[in-house]
Amino acid sequence: MKLQHVIQSQQFSVPNLMELFGRTRQMEKIVQRGGTRDYDGKIMATLFYRPSTRTRFSFESAMYRLGGRVLSTESAKAFSSAIEGEQLEDTIRIIADYCDVIVLRHNEEGGAKRAAAVSPIPIINAGDGAGGQHPTQALLDLYTIYNECNTLDGLSVALIGALDTGRTVRSLAYLLSKFDRVKLYFLAPPELQISQDIISHLQERDVWFHLASDPDEVLAHVDVVYQTRIDRERLQSKDVSMSNYDINPAMLRKMKSDAIIMHPLPRSVEIDPAVDRDARAAYFRQSRNGLFVRMALLTMLFEAE
Ligand code: CP
């Protein structure tokens, strides 16, 4: 598969995804054996203009597990020439001379696309802006669903949170829309519902979806409950409360016995820690899958060179 930049989840076809997931399973075995030296000599730069724990650390661990090395700035706004006014395009041109792939989290929507437009080496979008995308998160989310549910066809998935700016939900909705008989429930207050571009995409592909604001209307019907972080400050400024969307033991009782609960993390208060003990809580397994999926993705990029 020819894969140059990873900017948005729409660019993946179902055969691409199945190839990635096959490789991901191999990576789980490679990590159990302590890693490989197959990519000795490869260098990855992680250029993050916004904070991250999972995405940056798992990409860096992935590169080390493959035998490569890492150049990193965890706070590029403060610790790169951005502070002196350097434009993203110039920064990318410079760093591209020092490495083989750049993992970029940019504060502006469209940042990864701008970087890819000038980069001679692959750019991986590690999240752009508030309403952009986070395609590698969606890849690991989809892999987790595939692993836990043993299929991607015919599933009912609830996507919950401030969906208007939820880049993980946006990326995941695009990926799920590629599978047969999928049903998507977007669960949010009307002010924070999923944006029109996603709705139009689903309508064009004839994908079943439902916009809901009442958790009781949705939870008993779904195989996957995908909760997202709730920014309470933003909610206060919009005068919206989302406490009735929090996943807690009472909510667990409303879900199917074999449903899974996912969250891209970090969480705030939207999943009660008491839920962690329930076997349906898949979010830590999901986060762990990020390492394997990102290893697999790097191998596909390096082999496409
Ligand atoms: N899920 C996710 O993107 O987490 P980080 O912000 O910690 O990378």
Side-chain angles (χ1 to χ4, degrees):
M1 165 195 165
K2 185 96 181 106
L3 190 61
Q4 196 194 358
H5 304 292
V6 177
I7 305 302
Q8 52 185 15
S9 57
Q10 302 91 303
Q11 73 187 78
F12 288 87
S13 65
V14 171
N16 296 159
L17 293 166
M18 291 303 128
E19 182 185 343
L20 179 75
F21 294 166
R23 285 178 185 241
T24 300
R25 294 224 157 99
Q26 290 171 9
M27 295 302 146
E28 291 194 39
K29 294 188 186 121
I30 285 174
V31 171
Q32 278 168 12
R33 295 200 303 265
T36 173
R37 305 302 309 164
D38 285 356
Y39 295 88
D40 184 18
K42 291 291 184 193
I43 298 177
M44 179 185 77
T46 50
L47 181 63
F48 277 58
Y49 290 77
R50 295 285 301 156
S52 166
T53 299
R54 280 140 291 271
T55 311
R56 190 170 67 85
F57 279 99
S58 64
F59 261 117
E60 294 185 1
S61 177
M63 189 75 259
Y64 286 123
R65 294 285 193 206
L66 291 169
R69 281 166 286 176
V70 175
L71 304 173
S72 183
T73 176
E74 67 197 274
S75 183
K77 264 186 164 176
F79 298 117
S80 77
S81 299
I83 203 160
E84 292 164 326
E86 184 170 72
Q87 293 300 302
L88 175 66
E89 284 80 356
D90 284 357
T91 305
I92 294 294
R93 286 186 184 102
I94 302 300
I95 294 176
D97 281 337
Y98 309 149
C99 60
D100 303 291
V101 58
I102 298 173
V103 182
L104 172 70
R105 174 167 288 182
H106 200 255
N107 47 301
E108 289 173 19
E109 195 179 321
K113 198 170 169 191
R114 280 171 53 204
V118 298
S119 179
I121 63 169
I123 297 290
I124 301 178
N125 182 4
D128 63 325
Q133 283 212 29
H134 195 348
T136 68
Q137 177 69 46
L139 293 172
L140 76 91
D141 294 342
L142 195 73
Y143 178 73
T144 302
I145 296 170
Y146 188 46
N147 239 2
E148 303 261 340
C149 301
N150 294 315
T151 183
L152 289 164
D153 294 321
L155 292 175
S156 295
V157 180
L159 300 157
I160 310 174
L163 303 179
D164 56 338
T165 56
R167 60 189 180 199
T168 61
V169 162
R170 294 170 54 74
S171 290
L172 184 57
Y174 279 121
L175 287 187
L176 287 167
S177 73
K178 295 176 186 291
F179 293 89
D180 291 339
R181 296 171 284 106
V182 162
K183 290 186 172 180
L184 299 180
Y185 293 84
F186 296 99
L187 180 56
E191 304 87 325
L192 305 175
Q193 257 302 353
I194 196 77
S195 53
Q196 187 56 45
D197 59 332
I198 302 289
I199 291 176
S200 301
H201 174 83
L202 298 176
Q203 286 169 332
E204 278 160 26
R205 293 186 72 103
D206 209 13
V207 176
W208 190 100
F209 69 92
H210 178 60
L211 307 186
S213 56
D214 179 1
D216 287 342
E217 204 190 320
V218 172
L219 289 181
H221 305 293
V222 295
D223 306 295
V224 178
V225 175
Y226 190 96
Q227 176 66 290
T228 56
R229 191 170 72 86
I230 292 168
D231 178 348
R232 302 279 159 179
E233 273 179 31
R234 179 163 176 255
L235 291 192
Q236 267 172 6
S237 71
K238 285 185 164 273
D239 202 19
V240 178
S241 165
M242 288 193 70
S243 53
N244 60 327
Y245 296 81
D246 293 346
I247 309 291
N248 52 35
M251 292 288 247
L252 285 178
R253 288 192 282 278
K254 298 178 184 174
M255 293 177 199
K256 286 185 180 179
S257 60
D258 60 351
I260 59 167
I261 304 158
M262 298 177 65
H263 192 304
L265 304 178
R267 69 174 150 186
S268 148
V269 295
E270 64 279 350
I271 297 185
D272 186 327
V275 174
D276 301 356
R277 293 191 292 275
D278 193 289
R280 291 171 288 182
Y283 30 92
F284 293 119
R285 299 191 291 274
Q286 176 188 355
S287 168
R288 180 174 157 76
N289 287 336
L291 170 64
F292 311 127
V293 169
R294 288 172 172 134
M295 286 175 75
L297 187 65
L298 288 171
T299 67
M300 286 170 75
L301 286 168
F302 291 142
E303 284 171 27
E305 284 175 352

